[in-house]
mmCIF file of all heavy atoms in Angstrom:
data_model
loop_
_atom_site.group_PDB
_atom_site.id
_atom_site.type_symbol
_atom_site.label_atom_id
_atom_site.label_comp_id
_atom_site.label_asym_id
_atom_site.label_seq_id
_atom_site.Cartn_x
_atom_site.Cartn_y
_atom_site.Cartn_z
ATOM 1 N N TYR A 223 0.800 -1.180 -0.038
ATOM 2 C CA TYR A 223 0.005 -0.001 -0.017
ATOM 3 C C TYR A 223 0.876 1.237 -0.008
ATOM 4 O O TYR A 223 1.845 1.368 0.760
ATOM 5 C CB TYR A 223 -0.926 -0.038 1.234
ATOM 6 C CG TYR A 223 -1.681 1.249 1.497
ATOM 7 C CD1 TYR A 223 -2.802 1.510 0.814
ATOM 8 C CD2 TYR A 223 -1.171 2.213 2.384
ATOM 9 C CE1 TYR A 223 -3.532 2.750 1.048
ATOM 10 C CE2 TYR A 223 -1.837 3.395 2.586
ATOM 11 C CZ TYR A 223 -3.045 3.664 1.913
ATOM 12 O OH TYR A 223 -3.755 4.812 2.120
ATOM 13 N N SER A 224 0.531 2.167 -0.789
ATOM 14 C CA SER A 224 1.354 3.406 -0.968
ATOM 15 C C SER A 224 0.937 4.461 -0.018
ATOM 16 O O SER A 224 -0.147 5.049 -0.243
ATOM 17 C CB SER A 224 1.334 3.902 -2.439
ATOM 18 O OG SER A 224 1.788 2.877 -3.300
ATOM 19 N N GLU A 225 1.681 4.734 1.012
ATOM 20 C CA GLU A 225 1.336 5.723 2.017
ATOM 21 C C GLU A 225 1.333 7.120 1.385
ATOM 22 O O GLU A 225 0.496 7.935 1.692
ATOM 23 C CB GLU A 225 2.205 5.685 3.226
ATOM 24 C CG GLU A 225 2.300 4.297 3.932
ATOM 25 C CD GLU A 225 1.069 4.187 4.855
ATOM 26 O OE1 GLU A 225 0.253 5.074 4.989
ATOM 27 O OE2 GLU A 225 0.933 3.054 5.444
ATOM 28 N N ILE A 226 2.316 7.385 0.574
ATOM 29 C CA ILE A 226 2.470 8.693 -0.064
ATOM 30 C C ILE A 226 2.332 8.507 -1.566
ATOM 31 O O ILE A 226 2.968 7.536 -2.189
ATOM 32 C CB ILE A 226 3.832 9.318 0.242
ATOM 33 C CG1 ILE A 226 3.981 9.509 1.795
ATOM 34 C CG2 ILE A 226 3.938 10.672 -0.467
ATOM 35 C CD1 ILE A 226 3.000 10.432 2.383
ATOM 36 N N ILE A 227 1.491 9.276 -2.223
ATOM 37 C CA ILE A 227 1.277 9.174 -3.687
ATOM 38 C C ILE A 227 1.435 10.525 -4.353
ATOM 39 O O ILE A 227 1.310 11.602 -3.681
ATOM 40 C CB ILE A 227 -0.118 8.470 -3.951
ATOM 41 C CG1 ILE A 227 -1.235 9.352 -3.421
ATOM 42 C CG2 ILE A 227 -0.054 7.134 -3.501
ATOM 43 C CD1 ILE A 227 -1.810 10.320 -4.293
ATOM 44 N N THR A 228 1.650 10.532 -5.654
ATOM 45 C CA THR A 228 1.533 11.719 -6.468
ATOM 46 C C THR A 228 0.266 11.581 -7.292
ATOM 47 O O THR A 228 0.168 10.744 -8.169
ATOM 48 C CB THR A 228 2.724 11.878 -7.408
ATOM 49 O OG1 THR A 228 3.938 11.932 -6.585
ATOM 50 C CG2 THR A 228 2.613 13.074 -8.261
ATOM 51 N N PRO A 229 -0.827 12.377 -7.010
ATOM 52 C CA PRO A 229 -2.016 12.186 -7.705
ATOM 53 C C PRO A 229 -1.940 12.805 -9.088
ATOM 54 O O PRO A 229 -0.869 13.395 -9.538
ATOM 55 C CB PRO A 229 -3.004 13.063 -6.876
ATOM 56 C CG PRO A 229 -2.121 14.100 -6.183
ATOM 57 C CD PRO A 229 -0.824 13.455 -6.008
ATOM 58 N N PHE A 230 -3.032 12.601 -9.837
ATOM 59 C CA PHE A 230 -3.047 13.188 -11.186
ATOM 60 C C PHE A 230 -3.900 14.483 -11.162
ATOM 61 O O PHE A 230 -4.756 14.697 -10.246
ATOM 62 C CB PHE A 230 -3.661 12.238 -12.273
ATOM 63 C CG PHE A 230 -5.038 11.831 -11.977
ATOM 64 C CD1 PHE A 230 -6.097 12.594 -12.412
ATOM 65 C CD2 PHE A 230 -5.347 10.642 -11.326
ATOM 66 C CE1 PHE A 230 -7.433 12.194 -12.151
ATOM 67 C CE2 PHE A 230 -6.698 10.202 -11.022
ATOM 68 C CZ PHE A 230 -7.702 11.018 -11.483
ATOM 69 N N VAL A 231 -3.671 15.279 -12.124
ATOM 70 C CA VAL A 231 -4.476 16.552 -12.392
ATOM 71 C C VAL A 231 -5.072 16.424 -13.748
ATOM 72 O O VAL A 231 -4.469 16.024 -14.672
ATOM 73 C CB VAL A 231 -3.595 17.746 -12.252
ATOM 74 C CG1 VAL A 231 -4.460 19.024 -12.500
ATOM 75 C CG2 VAL A 231 -2.960 17.875 -10.846
ATOM 76 N N THR A 232 -6.390 16.839 -13.859
ATOM 77 C CA THR A 232 -7.079 16.741 -15.111
ATOM 78 C C THR A 232 -7.286 18.206 -15.646
ATOM 79 O O THR A 232 -7.909 19.058 -14.893
ATOM 80 C CB THR A 232 -8.454 16.051 -14.971
ATOM 81 O OG1 THR A 232 -8.274 14.803 -14.367
ATOM 82 C CG2 THR A 232 -9.166 15.950 -16.365
ATOM 83 N N ASP A 233 -6.854 18.523 -16.829
ATOM 84 C CA ASP A 233 -6.909 19.786 -17.460
ATOM 85 C C ASP A 233 -7.422 19.718 -18.855
ATOM 86 O O ASP A 233 -7.133 18.678 -19.565
ATOM 87 C CB ASP A 233 -5.580 20.564 -17.475
ATOM 88 C CG ASP A 233 -5.079 21.006 -16.086
ATOM 89 O OD1 ASP A 233 -6.023 21.381 -15.261
ATOM 90 O OD2 ASP A 233 -3.899 20.956 -15.799
ATOM 91 N N THR A 234 -8.143 20.675 -19.283
ATOM 92 C CA THR A 234 -8.427 20.826 -20.717
ATOM 93 C C THR A 234 -7.419 21.770 -21.285
ATOM 94 O O THR A 234 -7.214 22.954 -20.816
ATOM 95 C CB THR A 234 -9.848 21.390 -20.937
ATOM 96 O OG1 THR A 234 -10.795 20.462 -20.418
ATOM 97 C CG2 THR A 234 -10.131 21.572 -22.429
ATOM 98 N N VAL A 235 -6.671 21.322 -22.334
ATOM 99 C CA VAL A 235 -5.525 22.140 -22.914
ATOM 100 C C VAL A 235 -5.844 22.491 -24.289
ATOM 101 O O VAL A 235 -6.467 21.651 -25.057
ATOM 102 C CB VAL A 235 -4.231 21.374 -22.749
ATOM 103 C CG1 VAL A 235 -3.936 21.129 -21.273
ATOM 104 C CG2 VAL A 235 -4.277 20.079 -23.469
ATOM 105 N N GLN A 236 -5.465 23.698 -24.755
ATOM 106 C CA GLN A 236 -5.416 24.063 -26.111
ATOM 107 C C GLN A 236 -4.270 23.479 -26.835
ATOM 108 O O GLN A 236 -3.134 23.590 -26.304
ATOM 109 C CB GLN A 236 -5.478 25.587 -26.259
ATOM 110 C CG GLN A 236 -6.630 26.219 -25.529
ATOM 111 C CD GLN A 236 -7.986 25.751 -26.009
ATOM 112 O OE1 GLN A 236 -8.284 25.721 -27.205
ATOM 113 N NE2 GLN A 236 -8.823 25.308 -25.149
ATOM 114 N N LEU A 237 -4.481 22.959 -28.030
ATOM 115 C CA LEU A 237 -3.476 22.283 -28.657
ATOM 116 C C LEU A 237 -2.634 23.116 -29.622
ATOM 117 O O LEU A 237 -3.213 23.812 -30.500
ATOM 118 C CB LEU A 237 -3.946 20.967 -29.391
ATOM 119 C CG LEU A 237 -4.579 19.946 -28.570
ATOM 120 C CD1 LEU A 237 -5.185 18.881 -29.491
ATOM 121 C CD2 LEU A 237 -3.614 19.350 -27.606
ATOM 122 N N PRO A 238 -1.334 23.204 -29.552
ATOM 123 C CA PRO A 238 -0.577 23.898 -30.593
ATOM 124 C C PRO A 238 -0.472 23.042 -31.885
ATOM 125 O O PRO A 238 -0.950 21.903 -31.911
ATOM 126 C CB PRO A 238 0.820 24.003 -29.984
ATOM 127 C CG PRO A 238 0.909 22.778 -29.052
ATOM 128 C CD PRO A 238 -0.466 22.632 -28.564
ATOM 129 N N ASP A 239 -0.008 23.650 -32.962
ATOM 130 C CA ASP A 239 0.056 22.985 -34.286
ATOM 131 C C ASP A 239 1.238 21.927 -34.223
ATOM 132 O O ASP A 239 1.217 21.013 -35.121
ATOM 133 C CB ASP A 239 0.317 23.953 -35.363
ATOM 134 C CG ASP A 239 -0.987 24.833 -35.607
ATOM 135 O OD1 ASP A 239 -2.046 24.348 -35.229
ATOM 136 O OD2 ASP A 239 -0.799 25.918 -36.030
ATOM 137 N N ASP A 240 2.225 22.098 -33.353
ATOM 138 C CA ASP A 240 3.385 21.258 -33.454
ATOM 139 C C ASP A 240 3.671 20.449 -32.238
ATOM 140 O O ASP A 240 3.403 19.218 -32.156
ATOM 141 C CB ASP A 240 4.553 22.061 -33.849
ATOM 142 C CG ASP A 240 4.744 23.352 -32.998
ATOM 143 O OD1 ASP A 240 3.941 23.473 -32.086
ATOM 144 O OD2 ASP A 240 5.562 24.146 -33.400
ATOM 145 N N VAL A 241 4.147 21.102 -31.205
ATOM 146 C CA VAL A 241 4.650 20.356 -29.948
ATOM 147 C C VAL A 241 3.932 20.908 -28.739
ATOM 148 O O VAL A 241 3.829 22.107 -28.485
ATOM 149 C CB VAL A 241 6.166 20.565 -29.830
ATOM 150 C CG1 VAL A 241 6.671 19.910 -28.555
ATOM 151 C CG2 VAL A 241 6.861 19.889 -31.004
ATOM 152 N N LEU A 242 3.521 19.906 -27.891
ATOM 153 C CA LEU A 242 2.895 20.203 -26.651
ATOM 154 C C LEU A 242 3.907 19.733 -25.473
ATOM 155 O O LEU A 242 4.300 18.521 -25.504
ATOM 156 C CB LEU A 242 1.540 19.501 -26.422
ATOM 157 C CG LEU A 242 0.906 19.687 -25.038
ATOM 158 C CD1 LEU A 242 0.439 21.131 -24.826
ATOM 159 C CD2 LEU A 242 -0.298 18.653 -24.892
ATOM 160 N N SER A 243 4.228 20.675 -24.600
ATOM 161 C CA SER A 243 5.157 20.251 -23.504
ATOM 162 C C SER A 243 4.326 19.871 -22.278
ATOM 163 O O SER A 243 3.379 20.549 -21.845
ATOM 164 C CB SER A 243 6.027 21.503 -23.116
ATOM 165 O OG SER A 243 6.890 21.834 -24.183
ATOM 166 N N VAL A 244 4.764 18.762 -21.645
ATOM 167 C CA VAL A 244 4.169 18.175 -20.401
ATOM 168 C C VAL A 244 5.220 17.917 -19.441
ATOM 169 O O VAL A 244 6.254 17.258 -19.740
ATOM 170 C CB VAL A 244 3.343 16.885 -20.763
ATOM 171 C CG1 VAL A 244 2.779 16.309 -19.412
ATOM 172 C CG2 VAL A 244 2.274 17.183 -21.788
ATOM 173 N N GLU A 245 4.956 18.435 -18.247
ATOM 174 C CA GLU A 245 5.923 18.200 -17.103
ATOM 175 C C GLU A 245 5.643 16.810 -16.415
ATOM 176 O O GLU A 245 4.472 16.521 -16.107
ATOM 177 C CB GLU A 245 5.802 19.228 -16.044
ATOM 178 C CG GLU A 245 6.263 20.647 -16.542
ATOM 179 C CD GLU A 245 7.658 20.665 -17.064
ATOM 180 O OE1 GLU A 245 8.531 20.053 -16.354
ATOM 181 O OE2 GLU A 245 7.916 21.293 -18.057
ATOM 182 N N LEU A 246 6.643 16.037 -16.315
ATOM 183 C CA LEU A 246 6.550 14.633 -15.772
ATOM 184 C C LEU A 246 7.281 14.580 -14.433
ATOM 185 O O LEU A 246 8.433 14.985 -14.414
ATOM 186 C CB LEU A 246 7.055 13.625 -16.694
ATOM 187 C CG LEU A 246 6.481 13.499 -18.059
ATOM 188 C CD1 LEU A 246 7.187 12.424 -18.901
ATOM 189 C CD2 LEU A 246 4.983 13.118 -18.023
ATOM 190 N N GLU A 247 6.674 14.114 -13.355
ATOM 191 C CA GLU A 247 7.385 14.009 -12.096
ATOM 192 C C GLU A 247 8.202 12.696 -12.184
ATOM 193 O O GLU A 247 8.144 11.875 -13.159
ATOM 194 C CB GLU A 247 6.316 13.835 -10.964
ATOM 195 C CG GLU A 247 5.563 15.121 -10.696
ATOM 196 C CD GLU A 247 6.502 16.249 -10.317
ATOM 197 O OE1 GLU A 247 7.348 16.063 -9.457
ATOM 198 O OE2 GLU A 247 6.341 17.381 -10.930
ATOM 199 N N LYS A 248 9.065 12.470 -11.209
ATOM 200 C CA LYS A 248 9.861 11.232 -11.162
ATOM 201 C C LYS A 248 8.905 10.041 -11.221
ATOM 202 O O LYS A 248 8.019 9.899 -10.482
ATOM 203 C CB LYS A 248 10.760 11.234 -9.852
ATOM 204 C CG LYS A 248 11.552 10.004 -9.713
ATOM 205 C CD LYS A 248 12.418 10.024 -8.452
ATOM 206 C CE LYS A 248 13.283 8.813 -8.272
ATOM 207 N NZ LYS A 248 14.089 8.824 -7.007
ATOM 208 N N ASN A 249 9.270 9.125 -12.144
ATOM 209 C CA ASN A 249 8.499 7.889 -12.327
ATOM 210 C C ASN A 249 7.047 8.206 -12.593
ATOM 211 O O ASN A 249 6.122 7.367 -12.299
ATOM 212 C CB ASN A 249 8.633 6.952 -11.142
ATOM 213 C CG ASN A 249 10.001 6.571 -10.836
ATOM 214 O OD1 ASN A 249 10.822 6.436 -11.742
ATOM 215 N ND2 ASN A 249 10.391 6.426 -9.549
ATOM 216 N N GLY A 250 6.758 9.370 -13.256
ATOM 217 C CA GLY A 250 5.430 9.762 -13.464
ATOM 218 C C GLY A 250 4.902 9.406 -14.854
ATOM 219 O O GLY A 250 5.355 8.425 -15.458
ATOM 220 N N GLY A 251 3.955 10.187 -15.262
ATOM 221 C CA GLY A 251 3.274 9.760 -16.574
ATOM 222 C C GLY A 251 2.198 10.860 -16.939
ATOM 223 O O GLY A 251 1.999 11.797 -16.260
ATOM 224 N N ALA A 252 1.549 10.600 -18.030
ATOM 225 C CA ALA A 252 0.464 11.429 -18.542
ATOM 226 C C ALA A 252 -0.340 10.685 -19.581
ATOM 227 O O ALA A 252 0.173 9.709 -20.229
ATOM 228 C CB ALA A 252 1.059 12.728 -19.094
ATOM 229 N N VAL A 253 -1.602 11.096 -19.697
ATOM 230 C CA VAL A 253 -2.449 10.667 -20.884
ATOM 231 C C VAL A 253 -3.071 11.886 -21.478
ATOM 232 O O VAL A 253 -3.674 12.761 -20.776
ATOM 233 C CB VAL A 253 -3.514 9.717 -20.312
ATOM 234 C CG1 VAL A 253 -4.449 9.339 -21.474
ATOM 235 C CG2 VAL A 253 -2.993 8.533 -19.673
#
């Protein structure tokens, strides 16, 4: 059981035409 966790945040983002930058925490992820 994980006593301490890093939760997720849900955002609606506007998409650029080329590249979107996303910050990832240590051992993190994104969808």
Side-chain angles (χ1 to χ4, degrees):
Y223 170 83
S224 300
E225 299 283 355
I226 302 296
I227 58 93
T228 301
F230 63 83
V231 178
T232 307
D233 288 324
T234 299
V235 297
Q236 302 302 308
L237 297 177
D239 294 332
D240 47 9
V241 174
L242 177 70
S243 296
V244 177
E245 297 299 320
L246 304 175
E247 294 300 312
K248 180 179 179 180
N249 301 328
V253 176

